[in-house]
Every structure is written in structure tokens, then in C-alpha cells.
Amino acid sequence: MATTREQAVEAIQMQAARDSGRDGRDFLREEDRRIEQLMLSAAGLVFDFSKHDISGPAFAELIALTDAVELDLAIQALARGDALNTTEGRAAQHMALRGSGKDEARKAQAKQELERALTFAEDVRRGVFTSSTDEAFTHILHIGIGGSDLGPRLVYETLSDPNSPVEVRFLSSVDPDAFERATAGLDPATTLVFIVSKSFGTPETTLNTQSAIDWLEAGLEGGIGRHLVAATSKSEAARDVGISDARIFEMWDWVGGRYSLWSCVAMSVMVAIGRTKFEKLLGGAQRMDEHFLQARASANAPVMSALVIWWHRSIKSCQSWAVAPYAIRLRLFSGWLKQLSMESLGKSVTIDGKPLDEPAGSVIFGGEGPDSQHAFFQMLHQGVDAIPVDIIAFADGGNDRHRMALLANAIAQAEALLVGRSKDDAMVELSSKGMNDVEARQLAPHMVMAGGRGSTFILGHLLDAESLGALLAFYEHQTFVLSVLFGVNAFDQFGVELGKKLASTLENEWSAGQDGEHDASTRALIRQFDQYRR
Ligand code: F6P
């Protein structure tokens, strides 16, 4: 008889109990084939899972969990384009955007629209498509929020170079400072406004679009039509703000916003980095897709990574998970990952709407490696909770002295988390520095680092378009696998809606000069807001 999910989880818990008191240090010493089994290669990246406090037998039980939840079938359904987003009756076909999976019809649709976007982008890049004053565009104002912003912004930050003929400014928030900053120094005559909104109804994007149109109109004599471009699944709404069909690129309801960076959503990035680089980004993602769709669970990097996160969340009750890319060009990475993972997995009910038996999703935090070492790494090393961390690094690129220092830091952090420092070692260290015994005994407890703290090390050769594509696709697949393990829908986000609705109620009340019905705290805040503005 097939093992149920409950039985598989119980077997994992029993193995965890048997392994209690031991960690990665012991398992690395005792398990002959640990490196061979837990250092995986996929799409040009190497993933080292061997430092985690998960023994070989525990990994075997985790693999058994993937059988119990029928992960294989879920992955096949994803590749086929089944309507996995059941609450909204939609497929999740982000893989089709890069030509992967088995959904031939959607792949063809995606390819055609991608070609349109790439062609238009090249025309803007080369100055073939010009402004209303017949000048080449020098800037793109990319307006969008959430998935319509974070992915393109990250790719732009990582892959654009200072020689690009066009600079992209991103505008997401309604903070008046955001608009000021995004348009500072821009000339409407050479600025293309690119509005990205799948729904074309997101309030932040609507307001920023109105302000951008006002800004264009104030600065341009002739029409502004050539300055407006959109990516949306609601072309009618885009037409209503004056965007012509030729400049409306299509998004589909079968791609979630946070999974959409592979499409026309990134048209501004295509302009900045050019067709070749953008296609390499897609190629890297495609290689990761192939790996994900073909490799067996124990050799499948996204699956193994998801199992590691699931272990820490469900077995070790660890609420958070850190990510530290040792690459300044990936400084926006954790922001992108936060939306991808937390908007996908921050749920309290199963896909069937039943309360979850165990928590799903982790709090993700992170930042660029060396900067993070001087910020939150202290807590990773000595905080009460053992928080797993993904360390991402690339072996080559740029000045060698700096590269070596960067990599030494990345590898040393993972090593320090694992080996820790005992009180005896601290005593030896302090006495070797000439400290007397009494003082050393007082200081040593503060220097103790528990060790045995797990990290996943992701190592690539070069940070380029291909490895970036592979890395981002890796996390998309990891998120999907986690959703299957937790039993939640990774593709809806109803939690973000109530706040939006209440914000619009407040705005309406304020413009009508009315007092609405609110709780005492909210009323007090509104009064205070009012007082400041009088
Ligand atoms: O934050 C909620 C959300 O719906 C995200 O999922 C999405 O990426 C973002 O808003 C923007 O949505 P749209 O592209 O429809 O403007």
C-alpha cells in the first residue's frame, strides 16, 4: 500500500529523533558518499546541500515524502499546463514563456508575443523607433509593481551595463518621492513610458500612469502617443488611456505576475540589454527547466532545495530562511525572492480550502553577502534559532584580487556556520592572545558559536545572463515544489486584496470629506493624519 503523506512525515520525524544531537559535522564525517550525493549540478550551477543537519537516512525519508505527495504527477501537470491555480481556474505556464514544458499551444503564443516585444525593443534600442520629436529614446520609465516590477528590475540591475543606449528607471510605489526620483533629470521628449500591469487595474500603477501621462503632456508639444507602451492582459484598459494596439504587448492569465519576468513584461530590460542577452537569460532558465523536469528527486536541485527548506520549517520549526548572494549585481535578489516565495507560500489553508495542519512558507530575508556579514550574519552565527541560509557565489569575473576575497568570505561563512567555535577553543584563542585565565573565562561564553548550522551553497562560474536565468528558474521550481509539500496553491494571492480595498475606501472618504466606520485605532490614526495636514 502506498505511503500516505502523514506516514511519510511521521517517518521523517522518527528519523529526526534518531538523529537528534547530531548535525552536518557528524554526517560529513560519517557518510562516505555524502558529498557525491548532496553536491548536485544543474544548468551550470553547483548546489551543495551537504552542510545541513539532515542525515543520509533523513534525506531518504524526505525523498519518500515526495512520493507520498505525488510530486512527480504535480510536476507533470505543471508542464502540461493544467489549471493548477484552482482558486482562479488558471494554469501556471511560466515555463512556456521560455519554451519549456509540454503546452505547445501556449508555447507558440508566448514565442510569437516575445518576438514582437524583442523586435520592438531592438527598434527602440537602435533608435529606429523614435519619439514624437523624432529623437532616439534615452530613457524608459518602467511603471509597475510586484511581479510587474521586481523581476525586470532585478534582471536590469544584474545584466545592464553603463554603455547601454537607454537607461531604465523603475517606478512602483505611489510615494510622491518615488515619482520625483524616477523622473528626476528626464526629458519627456526622449522618455518612453512603459506601463506593466497584468490587470491594468492595480491602484499604484494606475496613479503612477496618470501622473506620467500628465508629465509627458506638460513636457511635449505634439501628441504623446509614441511615448506610451504597455504590457497587460487587459488591452481594452490600455487602449482607454491612449495606448495604440501596436504598442500593447500581451500578458495572459495563465502566467502569475511574480512568474512573468520572462515575457514582454521585461520589454524595458530587452531594450537595455539587447536581444542576445535576453535570449541567453531564457536559455539559462530553459536549461534549469529541463533539469527540473528530468532529474529524479534525489538528484534534482530545486526538489532537494525545497526538501531542505521544508525540513527546517516543518521538522525544526524554523520560521525564517536567509539568502545571501555574494554579488553586488544581485543586491535586489532577496526582494524578488520575497515576493516569489512569500506571496506564493504565505497561506493558511490547503489547496482544498482546509486549515493547514502545519505551517507553510518561511519568512525570507537577505542581502548582498559582504554587507550582510556586517548586518544580520551575527544572528545566523550566534542567535538562539538556527536559521538556514542560501549562499550564492560566482567563481570568476572582474578584478581577481576582489574576486578571491569575495569567494573566501562566502565559503568561510558557510564553514564558520558549520564548524562553530567551542568554549575550549575560545579559551585557547584568548590565552594565545595573552589574556589571563579569569578574564578569558568571562569572555569565552560570548565567543561560543554553536556550529552545526546548515547552509546551501550555490556556486556558478560567471554571473551572466545564462546563469541568472538558471538561478531564477531554480527558485521558481523550488517554490512550486514547496507548495506541493505544504499542500497550498502557489499561484493565488488573495491576502493582498483586503488592504487595497480598504485603502480605496479611505481615499474615497477623504475626498468626500466623510468619516467612515473604522476601529478605534484606525480612527485615531486618521485624526492624527488630519491634524498634521491642517
Ligand atoms: O501584490 C499583488 C499583485 O497582484 C501581485 O501578485 C502582482 O505581481 C502585482 O500585484 C501587480 O499586479 P498587476 O501586474 O496586475 O498590476
Side-chain angles (χ1 to χ4, degrees):
M1 211 174 64
T3 311
T4 64
R5 184 183 188 281
E6 288 67 29
Q7 288 166 333
V9 171
E10 206 181 308
I12 297 167
Q13 285 163 340
M14 281 161 64
Q15 186 58 49
R18 282 194 287 277
D19 292 336
S20 163
R22 294 177 336 123
D23 56 53
R25 289 170 291 197
D26 305 294
F27 307 140
L28 279 161
R29 255 195 318 269
E30 294 162 11
E31 296 174 6
D32 293 344
R33 299 184 57 225
R34 190 166 173 89
I35 299 298
E36 200 180 311
Q37 289 168 337
L38 296 178
M39 200 178 242
L40 308 180
S41 291
L45 299 172
V46 167
F47 298 82
D48 179 14
F49 301 107
S50 68
K51 289 191 178 76
H52 285 287
D53 61 348
I54 310 173
S55 69
F59 266 116
E61 297 297 355
L62 286 167
I63 298 295
L65 173 66
T66 65
D67 290 334
V69 298
E70 298 185 320
L71 178 63
D72 267 3
L73 296 183
I75 294 174
Q76 283 170 34
L78 179 75
R80 262 197 319 266
D82 290 7
L84 293 181
N85 179 358
T86 48
T87 50
E88 296 176 306
R90 295 172 183 172
Q93 268 303 284
H94 42 286
M95 273 199 287
L97 300 177
R98 49 221 188 208
S100 300
K102 299 207 168 86
D103 190 338
E104 301 307 328
R106 288 188 177 120
K107 268 158 64 174
Q109 232 180 320
K111 193 173 171 197
Q112 197 181 357
E113 201 58 11
L114 176 70
E115 192 48 46
R116 259 191 84 212
L118 282 167
T119 306
F120 179 74
E122 281 299 290
D123 284 351
V124 174
R125 185 178 163 84
R126 298 208 174 118
V128 174
F129 181 80
T130 52
S131 73
S132 61
T133 51
D134 209 18
E135 292 171 86
F137 286 103
T138 57
H139 290 86
I140 295 180
L141 183 63
H142 178 123
I143 300 177
I145 198 162
S148 296
D149 165 70
L150 293 162
R153 200 192 280 249
L154 164 66
V155 177
Y156 177 74
E157 175 82 13
T158 311
L159 299 180
S160 67
D161 66 63
N163 300 323
S164 167
V166 176
E167 185 195 333
V168 184
R169 301 271 184 94
F170 290 87
L171 175 61
S172 52
S173 169
V174 284
D175 184 336
D177 292 342
F179 190 87
E180 290 279 315
R181 284 174 180 219
T183 52
L186 298 197
D187 177 0
T190 53
T191 302
L192 187 67
V193 174
F194 179 41
I195 302 140
V196 186
S197 180
K198 187 171 141 186
S199 60
F200 224 82
T202 302
E204 291 89 340
T205 302
T206 305
L207 178 55
N208 278 327
T209 299
Q210 283 161 358
S211 299
I213 289 175
D214 294 347
W215 177 81
L216 283 176
E217 280 172 345
L220 281 173
E221 297 272 292
I224 64 165
R226 289 178 75 78
H227 292 248
L228 292 176
V229 183
T232 184
S233 68
K234 300 278 187 268
S235 35
E236 198 61 53
R239 259 178 240 130
D240 288 348
V241 299
I243 308 179
S244 82
D245 282 352
R247 288 187 284 282
I248 299 175
F249 295 93
E250 198 178 356
M251 293 171 78
W252 304 274
D253 69 2
W254 41 267
V255 179
R258 55 191 173 274
Y259 299 86
S260 67
L261 70 91
W262 319 98
S263 67
C264 60
V265 161
M267 199 279 296
S268 48
V269 182
M270 297 172 198
V271 175
I273 71 173
R275 172 188 277 268
T276 312
K277 258 197 201 175
F278 196 82
E279 285 177 343
K280 282 190 174 155
L281 177 86
L282 300 184
Q286 203 176 34
R287 280 181 72 195
M288 185 56 76
D289 296 338
E290 273 163 31
H291 166 83
F292 177 60
L293 296 176
Q294 284 163 18
R296 64 181 196 285
S298 61
N300 193 311
V303 173
M304 289 293 279
S305 167
L307 289 172
V308 165
I309 299 298
W310 183 89
W311 163 274
H312 287 292
R313 185 71 184 102
S314 299
I315 303 296
K316 299 284 170 174
S317 304
C318 180
Q319 292 181 5
S320 46
W321 160 42
V323 59
Y326 279 69
I328 198 74
R329 289 190 285 134
L330 287 177
R331 73 189 174 91
L332 301 181
F333 180 78
S334 65
W336 171 80
L337 185 61
K338 273 185 236 169
Q339 189 206 13
L340 175 70
S341 193
M342 292 163 79
E343 203 172 66
S344 298
L345 305 172
K347 311 280 164 71
S348 302
V349 294
T350 64
I351 199 148
D352 307 318
K354 303 202 176 75
L356 286 171
D357 294 336
E358 57 184 72
S362 308
V363 175
I364 294 177
F365 63 99
E368 191 263 344
D371 288 340
S372 304
Q373 284 176 205
H374 296 271
F376 64 78
F377 267 56
Q378 161 64 30
M379 193 172 203
L380 301 185
H381 289 293
Q382 286 192 310
V384 173
D385 299 316
I387 301 171
V389 55
D390 280 10
I391 294 179
I392 303 166
F394 296 86
D396 238 328
N399 176 290
D400 216 43
R401 193 163 132 200
H402 284 258
R403 179 62 49 190
M404 303 275 265
L406 186 65
L407 265 290
N409 272 282
I411 294 173
Q413 288 298 325
E415 190 176 21
L417 285 163
L418 179 78
V419 299
R421 179 165 51 202
S422 68
K423 199 164 164 190
D424 288 349
D425 286 347
M427 286 295 289
V428 171
E429 209 176 308
L430 291 171
S431 357
S432 74
K433 286 181 183 155
M435 191 176 275
N436 70 44
D437 208 50
V438 176
E439 280 174 349
R441 272 183 203 293
Q442 275 170 0
L443 194 53
H446 299 277
M447 294 175 64
V448 171
M449 294 159 75
R453 298 198 163 181
S455 60
T456 293
F457 204 104
I458 304 177
L459 184 62
H461 179 202
L462 264 181
L463 176 53
D464 56 15
E466 218 172 336
S467 58
L468 178 67
L471 185 71
L472 303 185
F474 162 81
Y475 280 103
E476 285 184 350
H477 296 320
Q478 181 227 55
T479 302
F480 176 66
V481 177
L482 275 166
S483 77
V484 178
L485 296 174
F486 289 129
V488 300
N489 182 352
F491 303 109
D492 62 11
Q493 60 283 321
F494 290 104
V496 301
E497 281 169 17
L498 179 59
K500 287 191 206 173
K501 194 170 143 208
L502 296 184
S504 127
T505 306
L506 281 175
E507 284 183 72
N508 291 338
E509 285 169 8
W510 293 342
S511 52
Q514 287 168 354
D515 287 333
E517 261 190 49
H518 302 281
D519 63 84
S521 165
T522 305
R523 279 200 312 271
L525 270 178
I526 295 169
R527 269 199 308 275
Q528 187 61 53
F529 170 64
D530 223 36
Q531 267 176 30
Y532 275 134
R533 288 173 61 84
R534 261 189 221 144

